[in-house]
Amino acid sequence: MILGLDLATAVLPAAPAPPAGVRLGTAADLADPRPLYEADLVAAAGEPGDVGMDEISFSDWLAAYWHRPDLDRALSTVATADGVVVAFSLALTDGRDRYLSGMTGTRSGWRGRGLAQAVKHASLRAARSAGFRRASTINDAGNDAMRTVNAWFGYRPVAAEWRYLRELPRR
């Protein structure tokens, strides 16, 4: 499901406070992106969906994600505890007025504490302040936790996509 939010007019809920010992910052604040890479691997492995995520090397992750031209590190939010990234929300933008939540994830031991809401909220607020007017996100139908988070922000369905899986005959 593709969801949209009019950032120019949306009334965002009050910012949730992160748990004690958790600090919110941006991806631009990271001296080394490796802690984000590690959190991304853990979060992606636990993400429901029909297409699994194979582990990717750090150098490949840097090329595919960290150095992609639409990643806005200043709008991407990370939650850290004792130097470990425990949750994150990556922001992809067109550099003008469109914002896409590329991935919001939380390490399994930290789920259920409102961190996905906290990092996504900080990212959306920063995007609005930077002049972005339209926000989008993509939500797998089986990911009820993120569906709840996105509904909390006021995201609404704007389009849908279907994937079909089929076993191919062996030759």
Side-chain angles (χ1 to χ4, degrees):
M1 176 85 46
I2 300 167
L3 305 170
L5 178 68
D6 183 345
L7 268 180
T9 62
V11 177
L12 296 177
V22 175
R23 180 186 165 277
L24 295 184
T26 70
D29 298 331
L30 296 173
D32 176 10
R34 187 174 291 274
L36 179 56
Y37 158 75
E38 292 166 353
D40 192 16
L41 286 183
V42 172
E47 186 178 22
D50 56 5
V51 179
M53 176 76 167
D54 293 332
E55 191 163 317
I56 183 173
S57 72
F58 182 58
S59 61
D60 287 346
W61 181 87
L62 286 172
Y65 299 103
W66 188 250
H67 294 301
R68 62 183 290 169
D70 58 347
L71 176 64
D72 190 321
R73 294 182 196 147
L75 300 181
S76 296
T77 305
V78 295
T80 57
D82 297 323
V84 174
V85 174
V86 296
F88 60 92
S89 188
L90 300 179
L92 309 175
T93 73
D94 66 357
R96 294 187 307 269
D97 69 346
R98 293 186 183 132
Y99 163 103
L100 172 68
S101 178
M103 168 70 167
T104 299
T106 305
R107 286 180 176 269
S108 58
W110 289 85
R111 292 183 184 144
R113 301 184 198 187
L115 287 170
Q117 286 177 315
V119 293
K120 196 160 192 170
H121 189 280
S123 184
L124 285 169
R125 284 251 185 231
R128 175 187 276 168
S129 293
F132 291 89
R133 301 180 54 77
R134 286 172 259 178
S136 300
T137 192
I138 300 170
N139 218 164
D140 190 274
N143 193 340
D144 292 335
M146 280 311 299
R147 289 177 62 177
T148 299
V149 168
N150 289 326
W152 183 74
F153 284 113
Y155 277 99
R156 298 288 177 247
V158 295
E161 66 180 354
W162 287 267
R163 292 188 197 136
Y164 297 94
L165 299 176
R166 177 179 161 194
E167 291 287 326
L168 296 176
R170 293 181 181 236
R171 292 184 182 216

